[in-house]
Amino acid sequence: MDTFKAHLDKFITVSEEEYASIFSFFEVMDVRKKQNLMNQGEICGSMYFVSKGCLRKFFINQKGVEQTTEFAIENWWITDTFAYERQIPSDFNIQAVEHSSILVIDLQTQELLLQKHPVMERYFRMIYQRAYAASEKRIRYLYEMTREELYVHFSTLYPWFIQRIPQYLIASFLGFTPEYLSEIRAKLRS
Amino acid sequence: MDTFKAHLDKFITVSEEEYASIFSFFEVMDVRKKQNLMNQGEICGSMYFVSKGCLRKFFINQKGVEQTTEFAIENWWITDTFAYERQIPSDFNIQAVEHSSILVIDLQTQELLLQKHPVMERYFRMIYQRAYAASEKRIRYLYEMTREELYVHFSTLYPWFIQRIPQYLIASFLGFTPEYLSEIRAKLRS
């Protein structure tokens, strides 16, 4: 409960009493490593907030290979936003990378939360604004950088992340084969 | 004034009186074709809403070539969200593709608007949610599709867009040279 309060405090001001009410709209869930929270082709019912651990989003590409497009660590939200808003089948899977503790909310419950606590509109506005800002930057990188440059950029900016996440998932996120990632790493070390 | 009201009505309920107050926070601006609204390296002060016309966002890549990353037509917002939120120099340029009529708001004025009309938190939350959802889809396409597939996808989904926007800008958006785009188009016609 405290992690989420500390996180909310960065964006909005809520009393302890208000927070208790806000928190009651969420379901606390423990997910074990590699557990699936959402499956491609199923209605996207929920949004997930990571209190502890790490989730990832991926799709199965035409070659049958898992393509990771997003990670969410502590204090990040993850879902298929397009499918969630419309309550339609998702194009993605969401899976736990580590044993994780998460908060879950569905669309109707979120709407009730927003009605009862309009300050949460501000919170979610700021969350989506940041997420969108990050994706604008990311789209620029995808235009601008080679795969090798992307890896260097990524490992310079987020060295702890590279340490934390299994190599084959980093490779999947960057659109490499694990072998190609090993090659780049060897080249950078030499 | 009426365009923006009709647009707001899709997301929130505001009375005519409330709307008049909301609208007073925006500056109405006319921009001629190819006029720059924002320049790479300058503080990103404002967000732009397109009432009529079309804007684009681009950066100058390492080869000195303009790389378009985003278009905004009627009822879309455009800015460098990351730089806008932090009031720091932008990595992008924003320019009018057509003679356009736009609404402009800066960060302080937006904050005053949100304080006076909290219903606008909901509006902007939904706008950013949609923008983020669209970028999640776009990132997936960038992983999944070849450039040629991207063009086919884009021209199937938005044929009127391909008609409206100059070819060299479509090429820039897709990361092609104009010559490569001509080749693809010739190939698709044959």
Side-chain angles (χ1 to χ4, degrees), chain A residues 57 59 67 70 79 81-82 85 91 111 114 121-122 125 130 132 135-136 138 140 143 173, chain B residues 57 59 67 70 79 81 85 91 111 114 121-122 125 130 132 135-136 138 140 143 173:
Chain A
K57 194 160 83 182
F59 66 91
Q67 174 67 63
E70 203 177 326
T79 189
T81 310
F82 191 86
E85 190 183 324
D91 290 334
E111 204 44 60
L114 292 168
E121 289 282 10
R122 181 172 176 84
R125 193 260 300 166
R130 295 215 163 173
Y132 183 60
S135 74
E136 279 181 318
R138 187 165 166 204
R140 176 167 169 158
Y143 275 104
F173 177 66
Chain B
K57 194 160 81 183
F59 66 90
Q67 173 66 65
E70 204 178 323
T79 189
T81 310
E85 191 183 324
D91 289 334
E111 204 44 60
L114 292 168
E121 290 282 9
R122 182 172 175 86
R125 194 260 299 165
R130 297 217 162 169
Y132 183 60
S135 74
E136 278 180 317
R138 186 165 166 201
R140 176 168 168 156
Y143 275 105
F173 178 67

